[in-house]
C-alpha cells in the first residue's frame, strides 16, 4: 500500500466502506456509485420503465439520488409530507370507506393534484404568494387562444394562488373539499359519521346501500376530467421543450407514513398515475418500491379483472451481477484508504488474504454469502474491518468470525423484510435450522414440521402457511402436512434462503437472480434444495464436505 513514510497502514477503529442505507451513506454514495446501466433508463423520459423495483438494500434510493445529481430538474416528493395522516383521522372518509365505497379514484386525484402542482412549482419557481400572479396571467393567455381547455384553465386558476404552499396544506385542502362533497345531502345522523369506520358498522342494509350510492356518486363526479385536461395543457404549453426534462421521484414509500391499508391504496393509486403521466413526453415520474411491498399492495388492492401483467412494462428490477458488486467493493475500499490515509490505489486484495491455489478467493467468498445486493456486501466487509482493527490485513480467521455475526444479523433482517407479506416467516425459517446445506423434502423431520403447523395456526394474520395450518385444525379437513411443506418451501425460496435444483445438469435456481418464485408443483419436482450460504452460520447449517470451501484451510495470520 502506498505510504509516504513506509510504515504499515493499520486498519483503524470504526473503519467502514459506508452505511448500508443510501440516505446515511453521505461519505461514499457519490464517489463510489456503480451504475450497472440503470441510470440511463431512469433518465430516459421516453422510457415507460418508471417503477424502480428491488429488494431492501438493492440500491433503489441510491439510483434516485444519482438521478438528482445527473439531472437539473429533479423534484423529490416525500410521502410523509402529505396529508395522509389527516385522511386516516378523517371520520368522514373512514366512514365511507368502511361502508364499502371505493375511494381509489379519490386517491388517484390526490396524487395527480400533488404531482401537477409540484411540476408547476418547479417550472415557474412558485415559492411565494406574489409568484402566482405572473403564472395566472400566463394561464389567462392560454385560455384566450384555446377555449376548449377552459375546464383545465379553471382548475389552474382555482388552485394557482395556493401552488406555493406546502404539499401537506394543498393535499389537506383538497381532502377537506372531498369530505364536504361526501357529507352534502347525507341523511345519516352526524353521530354515526363522527364514529368513522365504527359508525359504518352500525348501518342497516338500506342505509348502507344509500351511503354507497351517495359515495359512488361523489367519487364518479370527481374532477379527473379537469386534471386530465390539465395534463394535456402541460404537454402543449409547458413541458414541450425536448431539451428540458423534468423528473419527479417518490421514495421512502416503505416507511411509516400511513397505516397499512391506506398506504396500499395510495401506492396502487401512485402506480396508476405514473402510467397517466406518460402523456407528458418530457416529464417522468419515478417511484422506488420494495419488491415485497409491491406484492402486498397488489394482494390487498386486487379487484375483479385485475391483471398484474399490464404493469410489468413500467417496472425495472435492480439485479446485480457479481462483477458489479466487486466493482462497488473495490471502489469503496479505495475511497476508505484515500480518505483516511491519502493512500493511492489501495484495492481489496491489498488488505484481505492473498489468493492461493486450492483456497477460495476472498471477495468471491464474501459475495457468495450475499443475496447479490450492495447492502449485504457492505455489511459483511464492514464487519471484517471491525474485527481486524489495528491490523494491517484481514485474515481468514477474521473473515470466519465476521461471517458468524453477519449471518445471524442477515437472517433476522430478511425475516423483518418479509414478515408483513409472510407473517409465518419466523416459524417457517426454523424448519431449516441445523439441516444439511443440501437436502430433500424428506430430510425435514416430521415432528418439526408438525410443530411449525401448530405455531402457524396461532398466527393472527394470514399467508399461505397460516391458512393451511388453520384449515388442518378442522377434523373434516383433507389438508395434509405435505401441502403445508409445499408452501413453506415456496416462501423460503421467495425470500432467498433456499435455492432449487430441478435436474443434475442444471444450475441452482435462486429467486434473486433467476425465477422470482416457485410454481405450486415445483417444490415436488425439485431434486434438491440448497440453503443459501448467507444463512449457514445463522441457522447452524451442517455444511457438506463437497460444499465446504474452508475445509482444511490453514490460518494465515
Amino acid at each position: 500500500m502506498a505510504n509516504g513514510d513506509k510504515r504499515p497502514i493499520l486498519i483503524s477503529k470504526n473503519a467502514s466502506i459506508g452505511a448500508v442505507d443510501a440516505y446515511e451513506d453521505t461519505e461514499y454514495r457519490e464517489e463510489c456509485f456503480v451504475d450497472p446501466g440503470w441510470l440511463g433508463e431512469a433518465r430516459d423520459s421516453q422510457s415507460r420503465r418508471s417503477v424502480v423495483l428491488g429488494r431492501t438494500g438493492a440500491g433503489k434510493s441510491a439510483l434516485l439520488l444519482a438521478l438528482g445529481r445527473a439531472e437539473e430538474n429533479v423534484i423529490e416528493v416525500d410521502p410523509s409530507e402529505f396529508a395522509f395522516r389527516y385522511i386516516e383521522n378523517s371520520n368522514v372518509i373512514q366512514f365511507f370507506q368502511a361502508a364499502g365505497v371505493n375511494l381509489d379514484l379519490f386517491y388517484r386525484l390526490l396524487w395527480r393534484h400533488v404531482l401537477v402542482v409540484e411540476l408547476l412549482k418547479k417550472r415557474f419557481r412558485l415559492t411565494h404568494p406574489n409568484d402566482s400572479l405572473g403564472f395566472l396571467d400566463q394561464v389567462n393567455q392560454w385560455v384566450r387562444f384555446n377555449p376548449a381547455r377552459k375546464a383545465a384553465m379553471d382548475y389552474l386558476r382555482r388552485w394557482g394562488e395556493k401552488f406555493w404552499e406546502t404539499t401537506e396544506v394543498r393535499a389537506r385542502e383538497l381532502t377537506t373539499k372531498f369530505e364536504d362533497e361526501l357529507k352534502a345531502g347525507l341523511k345519516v345522523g352526524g353521530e354515526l359519521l363522527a364514529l368513522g369506520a365504527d359508525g359504518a358498522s352500525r348501518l342497516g342494509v338500506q342505509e348502507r346501500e344509500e351511503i354507497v350510492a351517495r359515495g359512488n356518486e361523489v367519487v364518479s363526479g370527481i374532477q379527473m376530467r379537469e386534471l386530465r385536461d390539465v395534463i394535456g395543457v402541460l404537454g402543449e404549453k409547458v413541458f414541450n421543450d425536448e431539451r428540458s426534462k423534468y423528473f419527479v421521484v417518490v421514495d421512502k414509500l416503505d416507511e411509516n407514513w400511513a397505516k397499512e391499508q391506506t398506504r396500499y391504496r395510495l401506492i396502487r393509486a401512485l402506480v396508476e398515475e405514473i402510467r397517466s403521466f406518460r402523456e407528458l413526453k418530457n416529464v417522468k415520474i419515478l417511484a422506488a418500491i420494495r419488491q415485497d411491498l409491491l406484492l402486498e399492495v397488489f394482494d390487498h388492492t386486487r379487484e375483479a379483472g385485475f391483471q398484474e401483467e399490464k404493469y410489468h412494462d413500467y417496472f425495472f428490477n435492480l439485479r446485480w451481477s457479481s462483477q458489479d458488486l466487486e466493482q462497488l467493493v473495490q471502489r469503496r475500499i479505495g475511497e476508505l484508504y484515500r480518505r483516511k490515509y491519502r493512500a493511492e490505489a489501495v484495492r481489496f486484495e491489498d488488505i484481505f488474504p492473498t489468493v492461493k491455489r486450492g483456497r477460495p478467493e476472498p471477495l468471491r467468498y464474501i459475495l457468495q454469502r450475499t443475496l447479490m445486493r450492495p447492502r449485504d456486501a457492505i455489511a459483511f466487509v464492514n464487519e471484517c474491518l471491525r474485527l481486524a482493527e489495528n491490523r494491517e490485513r484481514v485474515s481468514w480467521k477474521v473473515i470466519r468470525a465476521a461471517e458468524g455475526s453477519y449471518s445471524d444479523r442477515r437472517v433476522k433482517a430478511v425475516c423483518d423484510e418479509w414478515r408483513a407479506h409472510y407473517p409465518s416467516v419466523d416459524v417457517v425459517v426454523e424448519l431449516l435450522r441445523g439441516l444439511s446445506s443440501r437436502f430433500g423434502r424428506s430430510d425435514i423431520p416430521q415432528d418439526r414440521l408438525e410443530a411449525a403447523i401448530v405455531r402457524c395456526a396461532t398466527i393472527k394474520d394470514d399467508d399461505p402457511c397460516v391458512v393451511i395450518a388453520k384449515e388442518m385444525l378442522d377434523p373434516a379437513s383433507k389438508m395434509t402436512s405435505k401441502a403445508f411443506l409445499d408452501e413453506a418451501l415456496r416462501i423460503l425460496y421467495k425470500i432467498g434462503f433456499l435455492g432449487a435444483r430441478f435436474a443434475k445438469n442444471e444450475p441452482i435456481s435462486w429467486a434473486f437472480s433467476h425465477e422470482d418464485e416457485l410454481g405450486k408443483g415445483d417444490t415436488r419436482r425439485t431434486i434438491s434444495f440448497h440453503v443459501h450460504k448467507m444463512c449457514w452460520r445463522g441457522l447452524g447449517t451442517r455444511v457438506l464436505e463437497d460444499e465446504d470451501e474452508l475445509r482444511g484451510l490453514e490460518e494465515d495470520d
Side-chain angles (χ1 to χ4, degrees):
M1 289 180 283
N3 185 16
D5 58 9
K6 304 302 181 182
R7 288 180 301 177
I9 296 176
L10 303 182
I11 296 171
S12 66
K13 185 177 183 179
N14 299 323
S16 163
I17 62 168
V20 295
D21 183 271
Y23 286 98
E24 297 179 4
D25 191 31
T26 53
E27 288 187 280
Y28 291 88
R29 71 187 181 203
E30 186 170 348
E31 293 83 355
C32 303
F33 178 70
V34 173
D35 177 24
W38 304 323
L39 185 56
E41 186 80 49
R43 297 177 69 180
D44 184 1
S45 61
Q46 302 298 310
S47 170
R48 282 196 294 267
R49 300 196 183 279
S50 307
V51 179
V52 183
L53 278 182
R55 297 185 57 149
T56 299
K60 301 181 296 299
S61 296
L63 175 61
L64 296 186
L65 288 167
L67 175 69
R69 296 191 297 269
E71 293 288 346
E72 182 180 357
N73 300 309
V74 177
I75 305 157
E76 296 181 13
V77 172
D78 186 343
S80 65
E81 295 179 358
F82 282 15
F84 295 142
R85 293 296 183 191
Y86 178 78
I87 292 172
E88 292 178 338
N89 294 328
S90 166
N91 291 327
V92 175
I93 288 180
Q94 296 306 315
F95 174 85
F96 276 88
Q97 187 161 273
V101 178
N102 187 337
L103 299 180
D104 288 352
L105 198 57
F106 165 67
Y107 293 141
R108 287 188 60 184
L109 168 69
L110 191 60
W111 274 115
R112 190 175 298 193
H113 177 77
V114 168
L115 294 172
V116 165
V117 171
E118 291 299 324
L119 284 165
L120 289 173
K121 277 183 64 180
K122 181 73 172 180
R123 171 65 179 80
F124 293 100
R125 298 181 175 87
L126 304 177
T127 59
H128 187 273
N130 293 335
D131 298 335
S132 298
L133 299 177
F135 169 68
L136 292 174
D137 286 341
Q138 192 157 355
V139 171
N140 290 330
Q141 291 296 320
W142 292 341
V143 75
R144 182 180 302 174
F145 293 104
N146 193 350
R149 295 291 195 184
K150 185 178 184 303
M153 304 309 177
D154 287 344
Y155 174 88
L156 291 173
R157 278 196 289 253
R158 183 164 61 252
W159 293 96
E161 294 180 356
K162 300 178 180 180
F163 279 177
W164 59 273
E165 292 182 338
T166 65
T167 302
E168 181 176 6
V169 169
R170 287 179 271 107
R172 184 189 294 260
E173 186 166 349
L174 189 68
T175 303
T176 300
K177 182 176 182 295
F178 182 64
E179 286 177 321
D180 292 339
E181 291 177 359
L182 285 172
K183 289 188 294 184
L186 201 63
K187 297 179 181 178
V188 173
E191 66 280 0
L192 284 183
L193 271 176
L195 292 173
D198 188 45
S201 67
R202 304 183 185 188
L203 293 171
V205 175
Q206 186 174 351
E207 285 179 311
R208 185 179 295 272
E209 289 176 354
E210 291 176 359
I211 293 296
V212 171
R214 173 59 187 165
N216 289 338
E217 180 185 353
V218 173
V219 171
S220 63
I222 224 162
Q223 38 188 226
M224 292 294 279
R225 168 66 189 277
E226 292 179 6
L227 275 171
R228 186 163 56 248
D229 287 348
V230 166
I231 291 179
V233 170
L234 297 184
E236 293 171 7
K237 301 292 185 181
V238 183
F239 302 105
N240 52 3
D241 185 353
E242 294 181 359
R243 298 167 299 179
S244 183
K245 296 184 293 185
Y246 285 77
F247 300 85
V248 182
V249 298
V250 187
D251 199 0
K252 304 180 181 179
L253 289 167
D254 56 342
E255 295 185 1
N256 190 29
W257 50 275
K259 293 178 182 177
E260 280 189 351
Q261 291 302 321
T262 303
R263 188 157 54 107
Y264 296 149
R265 288 290 172 188
L266 284 163
I267 292 175
R268 170 73 180 277
L270 173 61
V271 173
E272 297 287 354
E273 283 310 295
I274 285 174
R275 298 169 67 210
S276 297
F277 272 80
R278 294 300 309 134
E279 185 178 336
L280 299 179
K281 301 302 180 184
N282 300 313
V283 170
K284 190 168 187 177
I285 315 296
L286 287 147
I289 304 178
R290 266 194 355 238
Q291 190 177 33
D292 58 299
L293 176 58
L294 187 69
L295 291 174
E296 283 288 290
V297 168
F298 284 158
D299 282 352
H300 285 81
T301 62
R302 197 178 301 269
E303 66 281 325
F306 173 77
Q307 294 179 328
E308 189 175 326
E309 274 187 352
K310 70 180 183 180
Y311 298 94
H312 286 181
D313 285 345
Y314 292 85
F315 300 156
F316 66 97
N317 290 280
L318 305 191
R319 285 182 172 171
W320 291 76
S321 68
S322 58
Q323 291 80 7
D324 292 328
L325 286 177
E326 285 177 12
Q327 185 182 3
L328 180 141
V329 172
Q330 292 285 14
R331 284 190 184 181
R332 287 171 175 261
I333 290 287
E335 183 66 13
L336 166 66
Y337 277 81
R338 186 191 70 79
R339 284 172 175 268
K340 285 190 174 292
Y341 313 109
R342 300 186 181 277
E344 297 177 0
V346 175
R347 293 177 57 79
F348 179 90
E349 304 85 62
D350 295 326
I351 60 172
F352 277 76
T354 303
V355 178
K356 296 181 180 179
R357 186 176 180 181
R359 299 184 179 183
E361 194 276 305
L363 184 50
R364 181 172 175 268
Y365 181 91
I366 287 173
L367 295 184
Q368 285 179 337
R369 283 150 182 79
T370 73
L371 296 181
M372 299 306 291
R373 53 187 180 179
R375 176 169 295 188
D376 299 340
I378 292 170
F380 200 156
V381 172
N382 280 348
E383 186 65 11
C384 290
L385 295 174
R386 185 183 72 82
L387 296 180
E389 178 186 327
N390 293 324
R391 301 186 186 191
E392 189 177 355
R393 299 178 69 93
V394 175
S395 67
W396 272 111
K397 182 178 181 181
V398 165
I399 293 175
R400 286 196 292 254
E403 183 181 349
S405 53
Y406 161 82
S407 177
D408 188 57
R409 286 200 296 267
R410 287 295 93 196
V411 168
K412 293 175 181 176
V414 172
C415 289
D416 290 341
E417 177 184 343
W418 286 94
R419 193 173 294 111
H421 191 65
Y422 296 124
S424 67
V425 67
D426 298 284
V427 176
V428 168
V429 164
E430 287 302 309
L431 291 174
L432 300 180
R433 189 166 296 280
L435 290 185
S436 296
S437 51
R438 181 178 65 246
F439 67 92
R441 290 172 59 98
S442 61
D443 293 323
I444 298 178
Q446 186 63 26
D447 59 343
R448 182 182 299 187
L449 187 60
E450 290 173 357
I453 292 171
V454 172
R455 288 184 62 193
C456 283
T458 66
I459 296 174
K460 180 180 178 181
D461 296 320
D462 286 344
D463 68 18
C465 282
V466 175
V467 170
I468 290 174
K470 290 178 178 178
E471 187 173 339
M472 289 179 70
L473 294 179
D474 183 353
S477 172
K478 297 182 179 179
M479 196 66 70
T480 66
S481 60
K482 289 183 179 180
F484 178 89
L485 180 58
D486 286 338
E487 294 301 334
L489 292 171
R490 292 180 70 201
I491 289 174
L492 290 166
Y493 177 90
K494 182 70 177 180
I495 68 176
F497 282 8
L498 281 187
R501 192 190 294 277
F502 299 103
K504 288 184 178 180
N505 296 327
E506 289 185 5
I508 301 170
S509 178
W510 299 96
F512 53 84
S513 59
H514 296 90
E515 295 297 326
D516 284 337
E517 56 185 298
L518 294 178
K520 287 189 176 295
D522 289 339
T523 60
R524 300 197 184 190
R525 70 181 186 88
T526 300
I527 63 170
S528 62
F529 291 98
H530 300 257
V531 180
H532 195 282
K533 294 178 180 180
M534 181 189 75
C535 308
W536 282 3
R537 299 287 291 278
L539 292 177
T541 303
R542 290 183 285 109
V543 184
L544 300 175
E545 286 190 8
D546 60 335
E547 293 187 334
D548 187 357
E549 298 168 273
L550 299 182
R551 186 167 175 263
L553 179 68
E554 294 181 2
E555 185 51 47
D556 289 329
D557 283 327

